[in-house]
Amino acid sequence: MNPTTHRSPGRAAARALAAMSLAAASFLAPTGAHAADEAGSGLDSATETAVAEETVHEASDASNTQADNAATTDATTTVTTDAATDNADATVTTDATVTTDAATDNAATTATTDAATDNAEATATDATAMASAATDTATASGTGGVTTCDVMRTPPDGTTATLNRGHADIFDLTSDAAGALTLRIKEDATGSGVLREPEQTLLAIPASTLTQIPDGVSQTTGAPAAAYLLGQSGDNQATVLWPGWDTLGIAAGGYDAARFHITYSGPADGRIYAFTSSFAEGLKAVTADGSYDLAPGGDDIDQPYAAHKHVNWLFTRAGRYTLTVQASAWAPGNTGTANAVAPTRTYTIDVADEATCLAEAGLTPGGNGNPAAPAPGVDPGSTDAQSGAGQSGADGDSTPDTTDRSASDTGAGANDPAQTSGTGLGAGSSGGAGTAYGVTTSGTTTSGARTTTSSGERCIPTRVTREATGTESAAPASSQAPANTARTTLTVSVGEGASGNATEGHFDLGPAIENGSLVARIKDDRTQPAQWVDPSTLTFALGEAARITAPADLGFVATAGSSVWLIPSTQIAGVPWLGLNSQREEIVTGTTGGVQFTLDAVEGPGRVAVFNAGALGSGVGEHVFDGPGSSYTLGPNTHAHQNWVFTAPGTYTLTISMRVTPTGAALTGSGYGSSGEVTATGALGTSSRPMASQVVGRTASGKDCDLSLAITGADTIPLAVVSLTWALTGAACVWVSSIGRRRNVRAFS
């Protein structure tokens, strides 16, 4: 019999059973298949991020060109300001029938806003008249009137720049030594700390920010089920504006507290919400009266201490919003009238685009009153909790965030924090939610990477300190880090009686280039202008103001209900606000891509975890550091704040390295010496050789084990189970094969 045409049925069955066994093995250990899928996803994300960055650079160039072309224009008071002023005195009838310079006046004016403002004193008849006027204004077109959507076709007169991405303190309040206040915009999208006049700057929010609002947030704040969101964490600032405010500059005039009084007009039913969300404080209003939304007729945002702050901003409708803002400041101890008041400024914010605006209003382009097709996806302003299904991410956009790890930086599974292995020490990895991680205490460390030994014990990455071998002695003794890498140590004092010289205020950790070397620096905003200082000069103190009761969401690092100490993702009084930064001018212009931060080592009495906030600043988002060896890539020209959790009182030291890709020659590294997985401690051993720190595998009983099979964020299947599975599979194959052979023998007998 020709075996090429007549195969043994036993062999065929054995092959089928083998295929089934492989499938079962894949089911038992899905991590490998998941990592392969994530590798493809990581490549796609890296490609999308590159396209987004290219678009950002083009937009930046266009903005700079526009600013240069308008540099000779003597811009004083814009038409938008006139419109806002006219609107305050105008009657409803006048607003409804404006025909002169209608494009500008209606950009700042809608009858709906007037109705909201005047309704407190209006009679029922007046309210009816206002509603009628609102309808007339919204549908006006051929008679000379335009809608708030139509005016989005062009920026307001006098505009010299459009900001649609990046970090911007839109309310940047400063004082000179004489006490005079100035309110401007300070942005980092087109440079570092670029100051702009509000009347000459259009703030643009893309339609992609349309987001499903969690039910709990809607119920607490009164926000609709969907709205255009600018989140407080700024995790998508490569493509979306991250607006905040900064009152640190008022200290020069002897002030410490500030207030922003805001009135605004916008599209019909358009409202603005502003609030924070954190583990420390939950959902918190930022208005003086405790409301989560800003009343169009006027609301106050109080900043009781000098701060740089970001909040969640929600806009309920697409269209053009015009804000009138007046800032005031108080000297310490003054509880009466403000000591100083800044001149009123006017801001223009375009949310989404004209087509989206018209679709939401039920109109077609041209304003002929014909209903337009409904906008796809989320229905902004709807109270239907199901509206907006299908939107992805907290920002309603599938575009990768600036803080996503790229495939080139972290390999397969780069965008899954539970699958991202770190660099530097080699053994440590970041882990997913639900996994407990630890830190070093006198040479004992637990981390994210775990596997099991033949005895069934887990193999835990453990940092040990020992004398370097003869071959290792030279490299660890070096005072330099690898090229293009800066390494530093942060010191954090935690618990009752915590002490340090950084007890509150705004700080950013990031790389800098000085004299051809890459060095670690912290931007200290407690002085104005901010100073970039050596991290070793600071000790961060987390006292009672930082202590919280751990919620269930922190189960991956702490026991629910236990006390932990938190640096939150939004600034609060009495707690240092530490973030990551890639915005030093020479880093922006002299490197490409983001900055890879790696947690090389941790020593302290408890566990440490660093993670981005989830949707709307609440919950746990992407993991940043889960233990020694875990890495995180911060996007280029980005400044962001994470949550830092410490689980026990005491003193912690965190060794962190920052790696960049220079556009020119390689940069000299700085920090502690490094040779592969071995890092010098700076001390000498009994044999006069350098002491070296290294992460190795240890079981709970202290036995050596192999970390090479470690899987991040998940336990491996016990070796006994895997062995038994393959043993049974082999036996089954032999049995099926023997049956096939007996059948063949009977067939020939």
Side-chain angles (χ1 to χ4, degrees):
M1 178 179 292
N2 187 344
T4 61
T5 57
H6 299 278
R7 296 185 182 275
S8 164
R11 290 177 182 174
R15 286 189 175 90
L17 186 57
M20 293 173 62
S21 299
L22 289 173
S26 297
F27 175 78
L28 289 170
T31 307
H34 179 67
D37 292 341
E38 289 296 328
S41 174
L43 291 173
D44 292 342
S45 296
T47 301
E48 291 174 9
T49 301
V51 171
E53 289 176 358
E54 179 67 21
T55 304
V56 166
H57 290 311
E58 291 176 0
S60 177
D61 292 340
S63 296
N64 292 336
T65 301
Q66 186 179 16
D68 292 340
N69 291 340
T72 58
T73 302
D74 184 15
T76 54
T77 304
T78 66
V79 179
T80 305
T81 304
D82 293 337
T85 304
D86 293 342
N87 184 57
D89 298 328
T91 64
V92 174
T93 305
T94 301
D95 287 339
T97 58
V98 168
T99 57
T100 304
D101 201 8
T104 303
D105 287 348
N106 280 280
T109 307
T110 64
T112 302
T113 301
D114 291 340
T117 305
D118 298 336
N119 189 56
E121 299 177 358
T123 63
T125 304
D126 291 337
T128 303
M130 292 180 198
S132 176
T135 303
D136 293 341
T137 300
T139 58
S141 60
T143 60
V146 293
T147 70
T148 186
C149 305
D150 295 329
V151 299
M152 299 178 72
R153 297 172 189 170
T154 58
D157 290 346
T159 299
T160 60
T162 296
L163 298 180
N164 58 12
R165 61 173 178 84
H167 174 251
D169 293 319
I170 58 174
F171 305 152
D172 180 59
L173 185 62
T174 59
S175 171
D176 61 19
L181 296 178
T182 302
L183 180 61
R184 286 175 295 193
I185 295 172
K186 182 174 63 178
E187 54 95 353
D188 296 313
T190 64
S192 178
V194 178
L195 295 175
R196 297 192 180 277
E197 303 303 326
E199 291 81 6
Q200 299 174 11
T201 308
L202 174 65
L203 305 176
I205 302 171
S208 62
T209 57
L210 188 56
T211 303
Q212 181 80 20
I213 306 303
D215 290 344
V217 175
S218 291
Q219 292 170 5
T220 301
T221 64
Y228 298 91
L229 168 67
L230 300 179
Q232 71 182 33
S233 63
D235 56 359
N236 55 354
Q237 59 189 283
T239 55
V240 175
L241 191 66
W242 188 33
W245 61 77
D246 190 337
T247 64
L248 296 170
I250 65 176
Y255 312 123
D256 63 347
R259 167 175 289 175
F260 302 105
H261 181 73
I262 304 170
T263 61
Y264 67 93
S265 61
D269 299 325
R271 297 298 287 263
I272 302 174
Y273 287 73
F275 56 90
T276 61
S277 178
S278 70
F279 283 113
E281 300 177 315
L283 290 170
K284 184 178 180 181
V286 296
T287 58
D289 63 3
S291 59
Y292 291 94
D293 66 326
L294 303 179
D299 239 325
D300 294 327
I301 292 179
D302 283 350
Q303 183 55 57
Y305 55 92
H308 171 202
K309 192 160 186 174
H310 287 270
V311 303
N312 298 299
W313 299 91
L314 300 180
F315 296 82
T316 63
R317 290 285 177 183
R320 176 163 289 176
Y321 295 75
T322 301
L323 283 64
T324 301
V325 182
Q326 187 170 62
S328 306
W330 281 258
N334 180 16
T335 58
T337 304
N339 295 97
V341 178
T344 300
R345 307 307 298 263
T346 300
Y347 294 76
T348 303
I349 304 175
D350 276 0
V351 177
D353 48 55
E354 181 191 7
T356 303
C357 181
L358 288 169
E360 290 179 11
L363 303 174
T364 56
N368 58 15
N370 296 326
V378 182
D379 177 19
S382 170
T383 57
D384 181 2
Q386 299 302 316
S387 66
Q391 296 293 320
S392 63
D395 55 9
D397 188 5
S398 59
T399 303
D401 292 342
T402 65
T403 51
D404 283 349
R405 301 176 177 89
S406 67
S408 62
D409 285 329
T410 53
N415 289 317
D416 185 350
Q419 297 294 333
T420 304
S421 60
T423 58
L425 295 174
S429 301
S430 63
T435 304
Y437 299 92
V439 297
T440 305
T441 304
S442 301
T444 303
T445 301
T446 59
S447 177
R450 301 187 302 185
T451 186
T452 52
T453 66
S454 57
S455 63
E457 289 187 281
R458 286 176 177 163
C459 190
I460 304 169
T462 305
R463 177 167 291 281
V464 298
T465 301
R466 58 174 176 77
E467 263 192 302
T469 64
T471 56
E472 294 171 339
S473 295
S478 170
S479 63
Q480 301 300 316
N484 306 321
T485 303
R487 185 174 289 118
T488 191
T489 298
L490 301 182
T491 302
V492 184
S493 176
V494 174
E496 185 178 358
S499 61
N501 57 354
T503 58
E504 64 179 348
H506 177 226
F507 306 88
D508 287 332
L509 172 66
I513 301 173
E514 297 178 2
N515 300 319
S517 295
L518 189 73
V519 295
R521 292 290 181 260
I522 283 183
K523 183 183 180 185
D524 185 346
D525 260 337
R526 293 176 299 176
T527 58
Q528 294 295 306
Q531 302 295 314
W532 290 82
V533 302
D534 187 335
S536 65
T537 64
L538 298 175
T539 295
F540 296 95
L542 305 184
E544 186 61 23
R547 187 173 66 86
I548 67 167
T549 299
D553 284 353
L554 293 183
F556 67 96
V557 68
T559 302
S562 64
S563 288
V564 298
W565 286 259
L566 174 74
I567 298 177
S569 59
T570 186
Q571 186 174 4
I572 60 176
V575 179
W577 193 34
L578 179 61
L580 303 180
N581 190 301
S582 61
Q583 291 185 320
R584 272 280 290 237
E585 185 174 356
E586 71 274 14
I587 296 296
V588 174
T589 59
T591 67
T592 182
V595 176
Q596 185 183 55
F597 289 81
T598 300
L599 181 62
D600 290 333
V602 180
E603 293 185 3
R607 298 175 178 176
V608 177
V610 183
F611 57 90
N612 287 325
L616 285 165
S618 63
V620 177
E622 182 183 15
H623 287 219
V624 175
F625 297 141
D626 277 316
S630 52
S631 292
Y632 173 80
T633 299
L634 183 72
N637 193 20
T638 297
H639 151 222
H641 286 265
Q642 299 74 30
N643 295 278
W644 303 65
V645 177
F646 300 83
T647 64
T651 299
Y652 295 77
T653 56
L654 287 67
T655 302
I656 297 175
S657 62
M658 289 148 273
R659 183 173 180 82
V660 303
T661 302
T663 54
L667 302 167
T668 302
S670 67
Y672 303 105
S674 176
S675 175
E677 298 178 353
V678 181
T679 302
T681 65
L684 293 178
T686 56
S687 301
S688 297
R689 286 198 297 264
M691 294 297 292
S693 176
Q694 183 180 23
V695 173
V696 299
R698 291 282 191 274
T699 65
S701 61
K703 297 178 181 178
D704 292 338
C705 55
D706 185 5
L707 280 172
S708 61
L709 299 178
I711 296 178
T712 302
D715 293 332
T716 56
I717 297 172
L719 184 61
V721 174
V722 177
S723 300
L724 179 61
T725 300
W726 284 108
L728 292 174
T729 300
C733 291
V734 172
W735 176 68
V736 173
S737 296
S738 65
I739 293 176
R741 285 196 296 272
R742 285 197 295 272
R743 287 178 178 174
N744 288 340
V745 170
R746 285 196 295 270
F748 282 97
S749 60

